[in-house]
Amino acid sequence: MEPAAPGAIVTLKDVAAASGVSISTASRALDERTTSRSAAAAHVRKIAEELGYRRNSFASSLRRGETRTLGVLVPRLSDTVMALMFEELERAASSRGYFAMVATSGDDPGDERRAAETLLDRNVDGLILATARLDDELPRLLRERRVVHALVLRTDGVSPSALGDDELGGYLAVRHLIDLGHRDIAVVTGPDFTSTANARLAGARKAMAEAGSKLPRPWTIAGGYGIENGFDAGEQLLSPKKRPTAIFAANDNIALGIMAAAHRHDLRIGPDLSLVGYNDTPLSARLPTPLTSVRVPLDHIARTAIDLITDPATEPRVRKSTPTLIPRESTAPPHP
């Protein structure tokens, strides 16, 4: 069978006529949601391919009242974890026949609201937010408006959420340092308006309590998740004569900043100062001193988020994936 001439549009009616079936039968055979394995359906698909037919998924979705598009909102794509998270969400969405589009908020509530409205104006079938703050009104408004949505990496504890078990991750990081013999341990967390920072700090405190100790208040620093925040925290912790022998950084960017500060103070990561990061980004294992880090299964979190979007009635509403500690050369027993 000859394909259509270049530039010609092959319609569903053309495929049906060439296949000797009705238009409705041809439509069902070519519907990717309910692909039939019958010989008749296979024949229709073969004819469609030979003719060069391209199904208008957008028009079909509009007839069904959906666009097969999801909006993803992240604080910033310059953050490695957020970029990796979006890639996993895009992959998971594509496997379900959805297209994911991304917008950024800069962790600003006003920009977050505007970005969410922009995505909703484009008739997305659901929103996935990696921007949730503990003081954020947006998830509540989405619930009130019955907008299908899911939170990823962060949670408000109410809206459907897919995230890592951050309290367990913080516990694993500090327990590792304690098991190496450290007791003078500092923790540098992210912003206190995020569930991630609060939960990782809670896990660290739990590990210290088990060891019969506490985190000294001056050695518990909350800030941003950027490298510069890690450097500033490192300067604050490493400048005094009495300094910690180990630091748990609540993400790998913070750990990188602390590494830079340690270098400035002529401290070797590992022998002089043990350091644990979080998220196990690809760079962690390739640093001059490979970084011990807590690995979070972003692929599993992404698939869970898509599950929450496609089946919002499923329980539990907040689903946590298990993190894993990856020991490397940045942690070692303290000097005698």
Side-chain angles (χ1 to χ4, degrees):
M1 179 172 294
E2 292 294 327
I9 298 176
V10 179
T11 66
L12 183 62
K13 183 178 179 180
D14 296 331
V15 175
S19 305
V21 299
S22 67
I23 293 177
S24 60
T25 298
S27 179
R28 286 193 299 273
L30 297 171
D31 190 339
E32 71 276 5
R33 299 173 304 150
T34 56
T35 303
S36 171
R37 297 186 178 182
S38 70
H43 173 66
V44 171
R45 289 193 292 272
K46 182 173 182 295
I47 294 296
E49 183 178 357
E50 291 174 352
L51 289 174
Y53 172 74
R54 182 178 176 82
R55 188 169 182 271
N56 190 335
S57 299
F58 181 71
S60 301
S61 296
L62 287 179
R63 287 194 295 271
R64 297 192 299 266
E66 59 183 19
T67 61
R68 308 296 289 180
T69 303
L70 300 176
V72 180
L73 191 54
V74 301
R76 55 188 62 81
L77 283 173
S78 58
D79 184 303
T80 303
V81 174
M82 292 300 170
L84 293 172
M85 185 75 257
F86 176 67
E87 287 181 1
E88 293 294 349
L89 286 167
E90 189 177 40
R91 190 174 295 115
S94 179
S95 70
R96 304 290 187 86
Y98 285 88
F99 173 76
M101 64 172 67
V102 67
T104 60
S105 72
D107 249 336
D108 178 88
D111 288 344
E112 179 195 36
R113 287 277 297 276
R114 285 186 286 273
E117 291 296 339
T118 298
L119 291 169
L120 291 173
D121 286 345
R122 282 157 174 74
N123 296 317
V124 296
D125 294 333
L127 287 177
I128 298 176
L129 311 179
T131 52
R133 303 163 56 108
L134 296 177
D135 59 354
D136 193 357
E137 290 289 294
L138 182 57
R140 179 183 62 80
L141 294 173
L142 294 175
R143 293 193 298 270
E144 290 177 355
R145 292 168 58 181
R146 299 184 182 277
V147 174
V148 176
H149 68 286
L151 312 182
V152 293
L153 297 180
R154 304 178 185 178
T155 182
D156 67 350
V158 183
S159 281
S161 307
L163 64 156
D165 189 334
D166 290 305
E167 183 170 344
L168 175 59
Y171 173 86
L172 292 174
V174 174
R175 183 74 249 180
H176 171 66
L177 294 171
I178 292 170
D179 289 343
L180 287 171
H182 293 277
R183 292 298 180 270
D184 295 329
I185 300 172
V187 176
V188 183
T189 69
D192 57 12
F193 59 73
T194 62
S195 63
T196 49
N198 285 273
R200 291 169 196 176
L201 178 58
R205 285 177 169 152
K206 180 180 178 181
M208 292 293 285
E210 280 186 2
S213 186
K214 291 183 178 180
L215 291 171
R217 186 177 295 274
W219 289 357
T220 306
I221 300 174
Y225 276 129
I227 295 174
E228 66 281 358
N229 301 106
F231 181 82
D232 291 342
E235 285 290 296
Q236 184 176 333
L237 291 168
L238 302 177
S239 294
K241 193 169 185 179
K242 171 66 174 175
R243 60 173 178 78
T245 62
I247 301 175
F248 164 45
N251 82 345
D252 289 351
N253 280 342
I254 294 174
L256 287 173
I258 293 171
M259 282 184 166
H263 178 74
R264 185 173 177 275
H265 288 272
D266 294 322
L267 295 173
R268 297 167 298 166
I269 295 298
D272 299 325
L273 177 70
S274 283
L275 181 63
V276 180
Y278 205 102
N279 289 316
D280 194 35
T281 52
L283 180 62
S284 301
R286 295 168 176 81
L287 292 167
T289 301
L291 178 66
T292 296
S293 190
V294 177
R295 179 177 296 168
V296 181
L298 296 182
D299 55 345
H300 185 263
I301 291 172
R303 291 193 299 269
T304 301
I306 301 302
D307 287 343
L308 290 168
I309 289 287
T310 57
D311 190 5
T314 55
E315 296 291 343
R317 306 278 283 176
V318 178
R319 304 189 195 178
K320 297 180 180 180
S321 300
T322 303
T324 307
L325 180 82
I326 310 298
R328 297 192 180 98
E329 295 170 29
S330 70
T331 49
H335 285 312

